């Protein structure tokens, strides 16, 4: 059994977290290996496909990979993901049910927020780390910069519309620890099994934070 990590350890280790949509479980291990080889270790497998739970299981066998589940919408999905080996949970939004389920399972949760009210609800539930989603359409880096005033101790992982081109505008902020995005695993590269290209994209992403 892998050692439990805190949400801060997850965010610091995964400065850039790939948001993965996996259609074929057979792609999971080679994809994870390519990402880890490129220097990207924290991997978020979204529960958006039938193959996702099997993909999590497969990825946990890859040395160096720290695998979590994304697009987790409720307690039942959280439990399934944890059972498959997910070491952290990401959700697009925040519900009390999900926050309680994560606490009960003892798994780090990065719940999605987009407004000050969302953050306040998260604080009430004992959360201090959030996914900022969808980042680019929710005000982007200027919005996060504004959150640093009232929520000085809160840290974020923005995702949604982030790429190599704009990631640095987020990393420039004191309340951003990591960013997430799907740009490291283009659909055509996955379909073609072009793991070399994915490794290159991972290497470029990992270099963003030095
Ligand atoms: C998500 O959770 O869907 C991520 O934000 C991915 O967004 P992107 O595809 O714009 O990177």
């Amino acid at each position: 059994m892998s050692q439990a990590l805190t949400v801060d350890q997850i965010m610091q280790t995964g400065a850039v977290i790939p948001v993965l949509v996996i259609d074929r479980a057979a792609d999971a291990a080679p994809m994870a290996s390519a990402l880890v080889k490129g220097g990207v270790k924290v991997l978020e497998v979204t529960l958006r496909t039938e193959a996702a739970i099997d993909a999590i299981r497969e990825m946990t066998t890859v040395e160096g990979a720290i695998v979590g589940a994304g697009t987790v919408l409720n307690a039942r999905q959280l439990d399934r993901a944890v059972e498959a080996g997910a070491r952290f949970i990401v959700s697009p939004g925040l519900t009390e049910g999900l926050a309680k389920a994560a606490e009960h399972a003892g798994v780090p949760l990065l719940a999605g927020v987009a407004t000050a009210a969302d953050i306040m609800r998260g604080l009430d539930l004992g959360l201090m780390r959030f996914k900022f989603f969808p980042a680019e359409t929710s005000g982007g880096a200027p919005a996060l910069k504004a959150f640093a005033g009232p929520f000085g101790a809160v840290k974020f992982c923005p995702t949604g519309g982030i790429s190599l081109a704009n990631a640095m505008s987020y990393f420039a902020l004191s309340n951003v620890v990591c960013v997430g995005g799907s740009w490291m695993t283009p659909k055509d590269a996955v379909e073609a099994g072009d793991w070399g290209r994915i490794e290159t994209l991972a290497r470029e992403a990992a270099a963003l934070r030095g």
Side-chain angles (χ1 to χ4, degrees):
M1 173 121 183
S2 313
Q3 190 202 342
L5 296 168
T6 65
V7 71
D8 281 321
Q9 286 170 325
I10 300 279
M11 291 171 89
Q12 277 151 18
T13 308
V16 179
I17 301 180
V19 176
L20 307 171
V21 179
I22 301 175
D23 290 313
R24 299 177 299 207
D27 290 334
M31 186 190 294
S33 298
L35 291 163
V36 170
K37 259 197 236 164
V40 170
K41 291 187 195 141
V42 174
L43 313 176
E44 175 191 334
V45 178
T46 59
L47 302 193
R48 295 178 199 177
T49 61
E50 293 259 317
I53 290 289
D54 284 339
I56 290 172
R57 247 185 230 112
E58 293 289 324
M59 284 192 167
T60 59
T61 66
V62 173
E63 199 173 333
I66 298 170
V67 185
T71 322
V72 176
L73 305 181
N74 53 50
R76 193 180 58 81
Q77 289 183 331
L78 181 144
D79 288 340
R80 281 189 75 207
V82 169
E83 206 181 285
R87 295 172 73 187
F88 65 94
I89 298 293
V90 185
S91 59
L94 168 66
T95 66
E96 187 175 340
L98 198 61
K100 294 249 160 83
E103 197 181 351
H104 184 255
V107 65
L109 170 68
L110 212 45
V113 294
T115 66
D118 291 342
I119 297 167
M120 287 170 66
R121 221 154 26 86
L123 293 173
D124 276 351
L125 291 164
L127 303 172
M128 296 287 285
R129 307 289 180 250
F130 300 98
K131 163 176 164 123
F132 177 53
F133 176 80
E136 281 290 289
T137 53
S138 303
L144 274 181
K145 190 171 181 190
F147 285 149
F151 307 113
V154 173
K155 306 276 185 220
F156 299 91
C157 179
T159 81
I162 298 179
S163 67
L164 218 47
N166 60 5
M168 284 319 287
S169 67
Y170 289 94
F171 281 132
L173 303 175
S174 60
N175 56 354
V176 169
V177 184
C178 56
V179 305
S182 60
W183 82 90
M184 284 156 272
T185 53
K187 205 172 164 61
D188 59 334
V190 176
E191 271 168 11
D194 189 351
W195 310 122
R197 182 164 157 222
I198 288 172
E199 184 183 331
T200 301
L201 288 166
R203 188 160 289 120
E204 281 169 3
L208 280 171
R209 268 257 134 147

